[in-house]
């Protein structure tokens, strides 16, 4: 069973136009995902499979909705005994552990705020986040590096009262397993002052911090309902089908693909707790568990395509999606040739649910983001705020955010009024992303405001050049930036990671440059090519183009 009918006035649509005209989310008063979805499934279909978890050591666990209610109720009692109450903030560093779900549902039941964090954070990162959020508790998985960094940050985190470890024991830390067993599985939904309202904050995500210190994105309790579109109409999950989104629990992508919309639709979450990314192991899991739907960033697809994916039986897959960075057409075309599956591109931010996607009612144009999610009033505007004509580049914005707030849009940045005023004004949310709309209504990504290259009088999209570069057989990954030049001011530079079997040389540079000149406008070709072993990336895996630009500016000054 699924609960879609409770939250949608209409679930099936005959066309994209029908979708845009008639998609309506029904938002219950005081909606709380833990009670109104997880516990409701436990009441109506307690034995329905909800979650399949596995790791690289051969361990596997399966959980029904009754199991999720049982463990989250026990965890709620445990947290209350430790002094956690409505509005308190709890940091989580839990990788892809199934206990993550017990904990976040328990915190939601209490009305506490959870702050997911990646396990790649250092001491400095942890103390910055704990202090910025005034976190009251940190819960981490028992991995040596995590324990080391959290323990090292502890002296600099005065608001943190308790440290809890999942999966082991450590001096000075509470044991999740020991503590939870002390508590009852009987929990009643709060009444009165402890009731959560739709406006209360449920999650704080930290952004990637590609151009500044990470911002704290606040989402309220209605946020899960915005992900119905993410799951049902973009991921196209099926009731009872296993869905895998490749994402660590520390990132918003986990919320996009591993909790909310998928369960409202009655799908089964597949949680693969990989030690480190290995394309062959991932393909083995996809084959063994017969996944129905799959979502991963383009980088994952690129690495999968470095292996012979035809050796694996992926016939159970019905839909594949991608987001997180632009999808190069070459990746789309190669994957389609080998599997018969089109990768459905989508676009959004930590601050939103999916904003633009390739939905089922129109043909996919490789590289296009797709068309707008009708929950959002999306436009492309120039610097004066006027709507751009087809083919004209401008900033992607969401209009009407004050007068008709879309479900799924963040509330504000926590304790950062300067950032709030910068992106949220004139009844409009400014994403900072540059795009254009073609004559068919499809949206095409150009780049972040800061990433667009202005060289020799031209505005050049780094993504467009990267898409050309990635078609060359020698290029496995690349980042295109503007580099300072004494004569031209700025020139296009490509920082390139070579595929296996290729060696850096001047001849190879010229071959790559000539290839780009042939497949796109010649003025866009990279005048500078630098070969590197790996690209600088954030801990979420996004390319740090600003770091490349800073390093180039520093070299210029020497």
């Amino acid at each position: 069973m699924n609960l879609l009918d409770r939250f949608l006035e209409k679930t099936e649509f005959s066309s994209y136009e029908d979708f845009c005209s008639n998609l309506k989310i029904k938002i219950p008063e005081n909606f709380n995902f833990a009670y109104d979805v997880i516990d409701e499934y436990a009441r109506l279909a307690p034995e329905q499979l909800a979650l399949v978890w596995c790791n690289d050591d051969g361990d596997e666990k399966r959980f029904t909705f009754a199991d999720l209610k049982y463990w989250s109720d026990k965890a709620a009692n445990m947290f209350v005994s430790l002094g956690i109450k409505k509005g308190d903030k709890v940091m989580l560093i839990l990788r892809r552990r199934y206990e993550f779900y017990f904990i976040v549902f328990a915190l939601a039941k209490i009305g506490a705020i959870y702050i997911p964090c990646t396990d790649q954070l250092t001491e400095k990162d942890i103390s910055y986040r704990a202090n910025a959020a005034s976190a009251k508790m940190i819960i981490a998985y028992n991995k040596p590096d995590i324990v080391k960094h959290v323990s090292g940050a502890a002296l600099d985190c005065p608001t943190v009262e308790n440290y809890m470890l999942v999966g082991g024991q450590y001096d000075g830390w509470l044991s999740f397993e020991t503590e939870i067993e002390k508590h009852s599985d009987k929990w009643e939904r709060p009444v009165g002052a402890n009731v959560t309202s739709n406006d209360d904050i449920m999650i704080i995500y930290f952004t990637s911090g590609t151009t500044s210190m990470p911002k704290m994105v606040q989402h309220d309790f209605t946020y899960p309902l915005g992900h119905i579109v993410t799951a049902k109409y973009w991921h196209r999950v099926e009731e009872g089908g296993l869905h895998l989104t490749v994402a660590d629990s520390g990132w918003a992508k986990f919320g996009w693909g591993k909790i909310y919309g998928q369960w409202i639709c009655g799908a089964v979450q597949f949680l693969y707790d990989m030690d480190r990314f290995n394309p062959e192991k991932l393909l083995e899991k996809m084959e063994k568990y017969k996944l129905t739907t799959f979502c991963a960033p383009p980088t994952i697809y690129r690495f999968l395509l470095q292996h012979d994916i035809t050796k694996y039986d992926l016939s159970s897959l019905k839909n594949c999606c991608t987001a997180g960075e632009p999808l190069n057409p070459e990746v789309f075309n190669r994957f389609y040739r080998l599997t018969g599956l089109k990768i459905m591109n989508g676009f959004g931010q930590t601050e939103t649910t999916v904003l633009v996607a390739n939905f089922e009612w129109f043909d996919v144009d490789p590289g296009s983001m797709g068309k707008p999610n009708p929950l959002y009033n999306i436009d492309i505007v120039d610097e004066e705020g006027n709507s751009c004509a087809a083919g004209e580049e401008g900033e992607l914005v969401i209009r009407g955010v004050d007068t008709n707030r879309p479900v799924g849009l963040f509330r504000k940045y926590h304790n950062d009024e300067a950032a709030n005023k910068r992106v949220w004004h004139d009844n409009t949310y400014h994403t900072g992303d540059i795009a254009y709309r073609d004559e068919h209504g499809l949206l095409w990504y150009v780049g972040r405001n800061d990433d667009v290259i202005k060289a020799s009088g031209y505005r050049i999209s780094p993504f467009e050049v990267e898409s050309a570069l990635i078609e060359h057989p020698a290029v496995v990954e690349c980042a295109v930036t503007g580099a300072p030049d004494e004569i031209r001011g700025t020139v296009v530079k490509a920082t390139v990671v070579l595929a296996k079997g290729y060696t850096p040389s001047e001849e190879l540079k010229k071959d790559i440059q000539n290839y780009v000149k042939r497949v796109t406008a010649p003025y866009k070709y990279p005048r500078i090519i630098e070969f590197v072993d790996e690209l600088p990336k954030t801990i979420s895996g996004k390319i740090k183009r600003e770091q490349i630009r800073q390093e180039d500016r520093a070299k210029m000054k020497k």
Side-chain angles (χ1 to χ4, degrees), residues 96-124:
R96 296 172 175 89
R97 293 292 304 180
Y98 54 83
E99 294 92 344
F100 178 88
Y101 295 108
F102 308 161
I103 291 167
V104 297
F105 297 150
L107 295 173
K109 288 177 176 182
I110 295 167
I113 300 166
Y114 81 89
I115 305 171
C117 298
T118 173
D119 66 347
Q120 298 178 52
L121 299 180
T122 63
E123 290 180 21
K124 181 180 178 182

Side-chain angles (χ1 to χ4, degrees), residues 180-195:
I180 199 169
E181 287 299 339
K182 298 176 183 177
H183 296 280
S184 167
D185 64 336
K186 306 304 179 188
W187 173 268
E188 296 295 329
R189 188 168 186 167
V191 295
N194 290 321
V195 170

Side-chain angles (χ1 to χ4, degrees), residues 414-485:
H414 180 70
N415 286 345
D416 195 341
E417 287 311 306
N420 288 324
K421 290 177 181 178
R422 191 164 56 248
V423 305
W424 201 299
H425 54 84
D426 302 319
N427 202 18
T428 300
Y429 168 61
H430 294 258
T431 67
D433 287 293
I434 305 301
Y436 67 90
R437 182 185 286 106
D438 69 16
E439 66 274 20
H440 305 295
L442 295 171
L443 271 63
W444 295 78
Y445 188 76
V446 176
R448 290 291 295 171
N449 242 329
D450 294 337
D451 288 338
V452 175
I453 302 164
K454 298 172 184 176
S456 301
Y458 296 105
R459 283 169 55 88
I460 300 170
S461 162
F463 169 58
E464 198 170 22
V465 184
E466 288 168 8
S467 292
L469 284 162
I470 207 75
E471 293 178 8
H472 193 285
V475 180
V476 69
E477 262 196 314
C478 61
V480 169
T481 54
D485 182 84

Side-chain angles (χ1 to χ4, degrees), residues 11 15 58 73 76 94 110 154 180 190 206 221 266 292 315 321 325 344 363 397 423-424 430 469 482 504 516 525:
T11 60
S15 65
D73 283 349
L94 292 172
I110 295 167
I180 199 169
F206 277 89
F221 274 83
T292 305
S315 60
C321 294
E325 57 183 298
M344 311 302 283
D363 291 333
V397 301
V423 305
W424 201 299
H430 294 258
L469 284 162
V516 174
Y525 89 95

Side-chain angles (χ1 to χ4, degrees), residues 41-42 49 64 106 119-120 126 156 165 180 251 258 294 357 391 395 411 490 509 517 525:
Y41 273 124
L49 184 63
T64 65
D119 66 347
Q120 298 178 52
I126 292 166
D156 194 33
L165 199 63
I180 199 169
W251 300 107
K258 299 180 92 73
F294 176 71
E395 183 184 17
R411 280 283 162 180
T490 301
K509 282 184 183 180
K517 288 179 184 178
Y525 89 95

